[in-house]
Amino acid sequence: MKKSTECVQAGYEPKNGEPRVLPLYQSTTYYYETPEELAKLFDYPKLGHIYSRISNPTVSALEAKITALEGGVGAMACSSGMSATLFAVLTLANAGDNIISLSTIYGGTYNLFAVTLKKMGIETRFVTPDSSDEEIEKLIDERTKMFFAETISNPSIIVLDFDRYANICKKHSIPFAVDNTLTTPYIVRPFEFGANIVIHSSTKYLDGHASAVGGILVDGGNFEWDKNPRFKDFYTPDPSYHGTVYVEEGGNAAFILKARMQFMRDIGAIMSPFNAYLTNLGCETLHLRMERHSENALAAAEFLSSSDKVEWVKYAGLKTDKYYPLAKKYMDGKCGGMVSFGVKGGREEAAEFIKGLKLIKQVTHIADVRSCVLHPATTTHRQLSDEDLIKCGISNNLVRLSIGIEDKDDIIEDIKQALDKIKR
Ligand SMILES: Cc1ncc(COP(=O)(O)O)c(C=O)c1O
């Protein structure tokens, strides 16, 4: 199936007489006639549902849709993007291990890596997009378990050079995990460019309507876990799961099986069936929305570039943008709805602009059908020091716009009148 068809159809196939639309199975439990049947499920969880902390039919259908869209071998829907990222790390790393991450990432993820993982004994070694291959490779040791980056970084709008990082990861046999939230598989499928694990905050474009918080972890099935000395947990029996050997039980989907059977089972941050139902509904129009987000955002970025109230604009769809060649290479020039720009001046002028907007509302969110705005330095990234803000690519005058799917003339008119109100 082509991507657009997968958006609409993948993940649910009704049998004769069953509902045409994916049903909402709002049930925690599943009935089995005999103890033997249920016992078998504990040995082979892939055969059916036991309890909705581990899996649920509505949630599974969404997982199947995203697996198809990303071209992976399995997925696990989580209660948030943050929990999906945490599960990715915990499935790979134990206390005493380390991961490497680009520092230009969403502020919440930065904090998870820099502060919370540290408390769990997992160290994050941050690099910047300007770090050389040599500098990155120097940080890799036998306890390095993952390299993490975002396809388009939030909010610094840097496009990931997949080939470069995939080569480093391959050379050192470490998995390459990519947060594909801001692009979605409609625009880019990271597995085609060497990623091994994909993470989504489905709260954003996948749902697309700002209705359901969620996250999705996807297994590319393209990493050799077996016999890799870094990942003994994958090919030796897991005593906490009656001796299961994940590479034997899960085959090339060993990663996602381990994530579910160790961490979803023990922690339970699974997506609720209702949120999976809503997210699946959102995905049915993902292809249409991403085209319109990309078209509108390019128009807004072009307008901003022509304004004398604006110092700089970051949108990789602009031919003048530093990341335009990478956007062309990996995304066919479609860049989604996120645009960052620097208002001439600083925090005060950024606040004036936001107060002047009428249609575009200030919300702590991005990537839904409605255009919205935020000043990251004083909100989402508030917890970061000035030094860390710079590492994340955030200046005091950076305004983050998430361009929606309204009429682009209305969006531009709103931006124009708010810029006109700035006194400076
Ligand atoms: C790129 C990216 N990844 C992950 C997250 C975290 O996702 P959630 O808010 O669903 O936990 C966000 C949230 O804004 C994000 O922008």
Side-chain angles (χ1 to χ4, degrees), residues 79-83 85 105-106 108-109 148 150 152-154 179 181-182 199-204 213-215 365-366 380 400:
S79 59
S80 65
M82 294 306 298
S83 57
T85 307
I105 52 174
Y106 164 60
T109 309
F148 177 91
E150 292 177 0
I152 290 185
S153 60
N154 175 14
D179 181 329
T181 299
L182 294 200
I199 298 160
H200 282 280
S201 165
S202 62
T203 320
K204 311 296 170 346
V213 173
H365 196 246
I366 49 169
T380 47
R400 184 183 76 181

Side-chain angles (χ1 to χ4, degrees), residues 46-111:
K46 283 182 291 182
L47 296 178
H49 302 284
I50 302 173
Y51 184 52
S52 288
R53 170 155 47 79
I54 300 168
S55 69
N56 165 281
T58 308
V59 178
S60 297
L62 172 68
E63 290 166 348
K65 188 187 288 278
I66 303 300
T67 301
L69 275 167
E70 286 288 6
V73 295
M76 185 172 87
C78 308
S79 59
S80 65
M82 294 306 298
S83 57
T85 307
L86 177 63
F87 283 140
V89 176
L90 294 182
T91 305
L92 303 173
N94 300 318
D97 290 339
N98 65 77
I99 63 168
I100 299 184
S101 174
L102 280 179
S103 56
T104 43
I105 52 174
Y106 164 60
T109 309
Y110 187 93
N111 199 66

Side-chain angles (χ1 to χ4, degrees), residues 79-80 201-204 206-215 271-272 274-280 365:
S79 59
S80 65
S201 165
S202 62
T203 320
K204 311 296 170 346
L206 297 183
D207 165 32
H209 297 78
S211 299
V213 173
M271 188 181 286
S272 75
F274 187 48
N275 280 7
Y277 175 85
L278 291 172
T279 306
N280 180 71
H365 196 246

Side-chain angles (χ1 to χ4, degrees), residues 1-307:
M1 283 194 279
K2 299 270 193 294
K3 278 189 206 175
S4 303
T5 313
E6 281 173 345
C7 286
V8 181
Q9 299 259 1
Y12 175 66
E13 182 76 49
K15 297 198 189 73
N16 195 33
E18 286 184 348
R20 179 64 191 95
V21 174
L22 172 67
L24 168 58
Y25 291 97
Q26 193 67 43
S27 178
T28 60
T29 41
Y30 305 88
Y31 164 67
Y32 293 95
E33 279 180 6
T34 67
E36 291 77 12
E37 269 178 286
L38 194 53
K40 201 165 171 200
L41 276 180
F42 276 83
D43 280 345
Y44 303 104
K46 283 182 291 182
L47 296 178
H49 302 284
I50 302 173
Y51 184 52
S52 288
R53 170 155 47 79
I54 300 168
S55 69
N56 165 281
T58 308
V59 178
S60 297
L62 172 68
E63 290 166 348
K65 188 187 288 278
I66 303 300
T67 301
L69 275 167
E70 286 288 6
V73 295
M76 185 172 87
C78 308
S79 59
S80 65
M82 294 306 298
S83 57
T85 307
L86 177 63
F87 283 140
V89 176
L90 294 182
T91 305
L92 303 173
N94 300 318
D97 290 339
N98 65 77
I99 63 168
I100 299 184
S101 174
L102 280 179
S103 56
T104 43
I105 52 174
Y106 164 60
T109 309
Y110 187 93
N111 199 66
L112 167 70
F113 287 177
V115 181
T116 306
L117 285 186
K118 198 171 174 184
K119 287 187 199 159
M120 297 173 168
I122 299 168
E123 179 198 347
T124 304
R125 300 174 177 175
F126 287 105
V127 294
T128 73
D130 295 328
S131 304
S132 67
D133 289 7
E134 255 182 16
E135 283 166 327
I136 298 172
E137 288 184 69
K138 256 195 227 153
L139 299 176
I140 300 174
D141 60 28
E142 71 283 0
R143 299 213 60 172
T144 303
K145 298 298 178 79
M146 173 172 119
F147 183 90
F148 177 91
E150 292 177 0
T151 312
I152 290 185
S153 60
N154 175 14
S156 46
I157 319 291
I158 294 169
V159 179
L160 185 63
D161 188 349
F162 282 94
D163 285 348
R164 184 180 163 213
Y165 300 109
N167 282 339
I168 296 175
C169 289
K170 256 204 178 132
K171 184 170 162 195
H172 294 272
S173 300
I174 53 172
F176 180 20
V178 172
D179 181 329
N180 198 25
T181 299
L182 294 200
T183 23
T184 83
Y186 180 70
I187 289 183
V188 61
R189 308 211 304 185
F191 297 141
E192 289 174 0
F193 300 109
N196 308 109
I197 293 162
V198 161
I199 298 160
H200 282 280
S201 165
S202 62
T203 320
K204 311 296 170 346
Y205 289 121
L206 297 183
D207 165 32
H209 297 78
S211 299
V213 173
I216 305 194
L217 187 55
V218 197
D219 185 346
N222 56 354
F223 189 82
E224 192 59 59
W225 307 105
D226 207 4
K227 311 284 183 298
N228 183 329
R230 284 194 176 86
F231 297 106
K232 282 208 176 77
D233 288 3
F234 279 75
Y235 55 85
T236 52
D238 176 3
S240 90
Y241 199 60
H242 48 74
T244 294
V245 177
Y246 292 108
V247 293
E248 285 171 12
E249 180 61 29
N252 65 347
F255 169 79
I256 209 72
L257 180 71
K258 186 173 187 282
R260 191 182 300 279
M261 297 325 295
Q262 278 190 333
F263 295 103
M264 195 55 96
R265 181 199 61 179
D266 285 5
I267 297 170
I270 194 168
M271 188 181 286
S272 75
F274 187 48
N275 280 7
Y277 175 85
L278 291 172
T279 306
N280 180 71
L281 211 54
C283 286
E284 290 178 1
T285 56
L286 179 68
H287 51 304
L288 301 176
R289 289 185 285 106
M290 292 316 289
E291 290 285 350
R292 183 68 173 253
H293 281 295
S294 302
E295 185 192 320
N296 282 1
L298 179 60
E302 279 168 350
F303 170 75
L304 285 163
S305 305
S306 68
S307 168

